[in-house]
Amino acid sequence: MAGSKFHNLDPGSRAIILAEFLVLIGVFVIGVELLRLSGFEGIPAYGEGILLLHCLAFTFPIQLSILSVGLYNQKIRETFRGVIRRLLVSIALGYFISSVIYVLTPLDVLPGNFRELLYAAVMMGLTTIRYFALKMQYEHMGRKRILVLGAGERASIIEKRMRRKSDRVSFEMAGFIRMPGDSDEGIKRETILELDQPLESFVLANGVEEIVIAADERRANLPVDSLFLCKLRGVEITDIIDFIERESGQIAVNLIYPSWVIYSNGFHSTNYLRSSLDWVCNTFLGLIVLFLTWPLMLITVIMIKLEEGIRAPVLYSQERIGLNGQPFNIYKFRSMRTDAEKDGAKWAQKEDPRVTKVGNFIRKYRIDELPQIYNVLVGDMGFVGPRPERPAFVKELVLSIPYYNQRHNVKPGLTGWAQLKYPYGSTEADALEKLKFDLYYIKHRSFLLDLLILVRTAEIILFGKGR
């Protein structure tokens, strides 16, 4: 089975990460030299470790902030003006993190307005890099030419799920070849090829670098000898499920079969050491977030009381399904009217009329989720994982959506891969889409993926993308 890669680490993103890192280092070194020429004393020499610490306190927060606002995402859909806006946010955030580092460590702040001038220079340098990167279409670096064997139902998921240019920045489609047994209700708008030569000849003549196997009926229908020759010539052969997983960050639930799960890399079992480390990390992070956000929670309590009266309840709890299908009570700031579910449990809707004015704001910036820190501290949830659903919905979804119960194999979380990739869900169809991302997370779950999700969640909070 083909392995999956994170889109955030494609060749284009790696190139721009390196370019921006060199800009940051260059600005810092030039700034230090100008500071020496200006006559400031006490500037550490390059051989001293203290200057390296200053450099790290300057560069690392900025690049971490750029990652957190989504600028290292290959498939970001932003105009140049939108990129500039995100750069401003990331540099301001980097300046704040750097300032906290200077407060919490014995590092002395460099003299004068040196730091402020450095950040202004960095803004100009990064803007220039981004301008030329967009002009040169950096996201197309490492782009592959793809040929799909199949034009039926399985192949049509590419047409349906990857319609936009941003969905295809990492590959160029050579076309689809209809195979025996393919459904007629498959590809509608894409190029369907009729081969008048052996497959391996067409592949070599047209610069095809990868063949995606997407035939509806593969048994005795695939040109095995031709595929073998293509493989020997360095052409990558990929199953449609692995291709969708790699390009979209989700697992196509409607296409998978038991043998794929059995032979696929991933879905590692949770061991005692991993569980213990998860608990320690979640508890430590929970205490830090609680310490940093308690003033915000106090303000939220006051605003809810001002809008709905002194006797209005501030918190509400709901039963949710957690690890191994066990129920637990989740706690949130109340964002809906007290009579929101007088007619029974309902899916939350976009522009839901039951949401209060304060509720709309705290949902947008995920402030309503802060009381769930308690759930993290007592071990019901982690910071990263599938969002827990209500028992009434789970009973329906388990019956109608295949593999839905598998999302209960890991602890639910405050945020998750599905929340980054598909931030709104109010129907059974939305639940299916989120399950595809949840299964991807469960398959690839690791400390680094959790860290990436936590950093990228900042984009949702900073730009008010929560629901």
Side-chain angles (χ1 to χ4, degrees):
M1 297 290 178
S4 293
K5 66 182 179 67
F6 295 118
H7 317 297
N8 309 72
L9 299 178
D10 60 273
S13 294
R14 287 197 294 268
I16 204 164
I17 288 172
L18 177 60
E20 292 183 341
F21 175 73
L22 293 176
V23 167
L24 293 174
I25 294 296
V27 167
F28 183 82
V29 170
I30 292 171
V32 168
E33 290 304 313
L34 290 175
L35 205 57
R36 291 186 201 279
L37 293 174
S38 300
F40 282 104
E41 298 181 357
I43 305 299
Y46 286 112
E48 298 180 34
I50 193 71
L51 190 63
L52 176 62
L53 293 178
H54 280 293
C55 185
L56 289 176
F58 170 68
T59 59
F60 178 72
I62 293 177
Q63 288 213 285
L64 182 66
S65 300
I66 294 174
L67 172 63
S68 72
V69 300
L71 284 179
Y72 290 144
N73 181 5
Q74 181 190 28
K75 298 183 178 180
I76 185 173
R77 297 189 295 274
E78 280 283 12
T79 62
F80 182 62
R81 181 177 295 180
V83 169
I84 298 303
R85 182 167 64 99
R86 290 180 183 240
L87 275 178
L88 283 170
V89 171
S90 62
I91 288 177
L93 187 59
Y95 182 84
F96 171 76
I97 295 173
S98 179
S99 299
V100 171
I101 291 173
Y102 278 108
V103 169
L104 297 179
T105 64
L107 279 176
D108 293 325
V109 178
L110 293 171
N113 295 322
F114 179 67
R115 288 179 65 229
E116 289 74 13
L117 293 173
L118 282 186
Y119 283 94
V122 162
M123 182 64 200
M124 290 187 289
L126 295 185
T127 299
T128 303
I129 288 288
R130 288 285 170 170
Y131 176 79
F132 285 107
L134 290 174
K135 286 290 185 182
M136 297 168 60
Q137 296 185 316
Y138 77 96
E139 67 274 14
H140 289 166
M141 288 182 64
R143 200 179 195 197
K144 290 183 177 180
R145 188 163 171 80
I146 302 293
L147 176 67
V148 181
L149 286 191
E153 184 179 350
R154 294 175 73 83
S156 67
I157 193 171
I158 298 175
E159 183 178 70
K160 294 173 182 175
R161 302 295 182 189
M162 300 179 182
R163 299 185 301 270
R164 296 168 298 201
K165 288 183 179 179
S166 60
D167 296 325
R168 302 190 180 194
V169 293
S170 63
F171 66 90
E172 176 188 358
M173 188 62 67
F176 294 75
I177 298 176
R178 189 174 296 281
M179 304 298 293
D182 279 350
S183 168
D184 293 331
E185 300 300 318
I187 296 298
K188 301 295 185 184
R189 297 178 298 275
E190 301 282 350
T191 301
I192 299 180
L193 303 170
E194 297 290 341
L195 293 188
D196 55 1
Q197 58 185 310
L199 175 65
E200 63 272 22
S201 300
F202 176 86
V203 166
L204 293 176
N206 289 273
V208 172
E209 299 167 272
E210 183 175 5
I211 298 174
V212 177
I213 308 298
D216 289 345
E217 296 292 338
R218 295 192 295 180
R219 186 171 298 178
N221 286 329
L222 293 179
V224 177
D225 292 339
S226 293
L227 290 172
F228 180 75
L229 291 173
C230 291
K231 184 74 173 181
L232 290 179
R233 286 169 171 78
V235 178
E236 189 174 350
I237 311 296
T238 307
D239 187 87
I240 180 65
I241 304 175
D242 296 310
F243 178 75
I244 295 297
E245 178 184 351
R246 186 187 74 201
E247 295 299 328
S248 66
Q250 62 177 220
I251 291 177
V253 175
N254 52 322
L255 298 183
I256 63 176
Y257 38 87
S259 62
W260 179 85
V261 178
I262 293 170
Y263 292 113
S264 178
N265 294 324
F267 298 109
H268 300 298
S269 61
T270 302
N271 54 46
Y272 178 76
L273 178 61
R274 165 71 195 243
S275 299
S276 300
L277 289 175
D278 280 349
W279 181 82
V280 170
C281 291
N282 282 314
T283 301
F284 178 70
L285 188 57
L287 291 173
I288 291 176
V289 173
L290 182 63
F291 174 75
L292 293 174
T293 61
W294 72 263
L296 185 59
M297 288 193 275
L298 179 60
I299 293 172
T300 302
V301 170
I302 295 172
M303 295 305 294
I304 292 174
K305 293 290 186 182
L306 288 175
E307 181 178 13
E308 299 195 74
I310 194 67
R311 295 186 179 181
V314 172
L315 298 175
Y316 82 99
S317 65
Q318 278 184 344
E319 189 177 50
R320 300 289 178 97
I321 300 299
L323 181 65
N324 298 323
Q326 297 299 312
F328 70 99
N329 286 323
I330 196 173
Y331 296 92
K332 300 177 75 172
F333 281 123
R334 187 171 59 81
S335 58
M336 291 188 176
R337 303 191 310 266
T338 53
D339 63 347
E341 296 196 336
K342 60 183 179 181
D343 299 322
K346 297 179 180 178
W347 290 97
Q349 302 289 329
K350 189 175 182 179
E351 307 295 338
D352 199 318
R354 300 173 295 168
V355 178
T356 63
K357 292 180 180 179
V358 171
N360 186 59
F361 179 83
I362 63 177
R363 284 161 68 105
K364 185 176 182 181
Y365 293 97
R366 296 286 179 92
I367 299 171
D368 63 320
E369 311 280 359
L370 288 177
Q372 291 169 47
I373 295 172
Y374 169 79
N375 293 108
V376 173
L377 294 176
V378 299
D380 293 329
M381 299 174 63
F383 269 90
V384 179
R387 288 295 295 162
E389 282 294 354
R390 302 174 67 174
F393 297 150
V394 170
K395 288 179 181 178
E396 298 174 6
L397 296 172
V398 166
L399 295 175
S400 58
I401 299 178
Y403 302 100
Y404 188 82
N405 244 341
Q406 304 311 311
R407 70 195 304 274
H408 300 132
N409 290 341
V410 299
K411 192 177 290 187
L414 285 172
T415 186
W417 188 245
Q419 278 63 49
L420 291 182
K421 298 291 186 177
Y422 196 87
Y424 186 74
S426 59
T427 65
E428 186 175 301
D430 291 327
L432 173 59
E433 291 304 310
K434 285 203 168 189
L435 175 64
K436 295 175 182 179
F437 293 111
D438 287 334
L439 289 180
Y440 179 95
Y441 169 75
I442 294 169
K443 181 182 178 184
H444 296 277
R445 195 163 68 105
S446 66
F447 174 77
L448 287 178
L449 179 57
D450 285 355
L451 185 61
L452 173 67
I453 292 170
L454 285 173
V455 171
R456 288 290 308 279
T457 298
E459 179 184 359
I460 295 174
I461 297 171
L462 290 170
F463 293 97
K465 293 184 178 181
R467 299 291 185 196

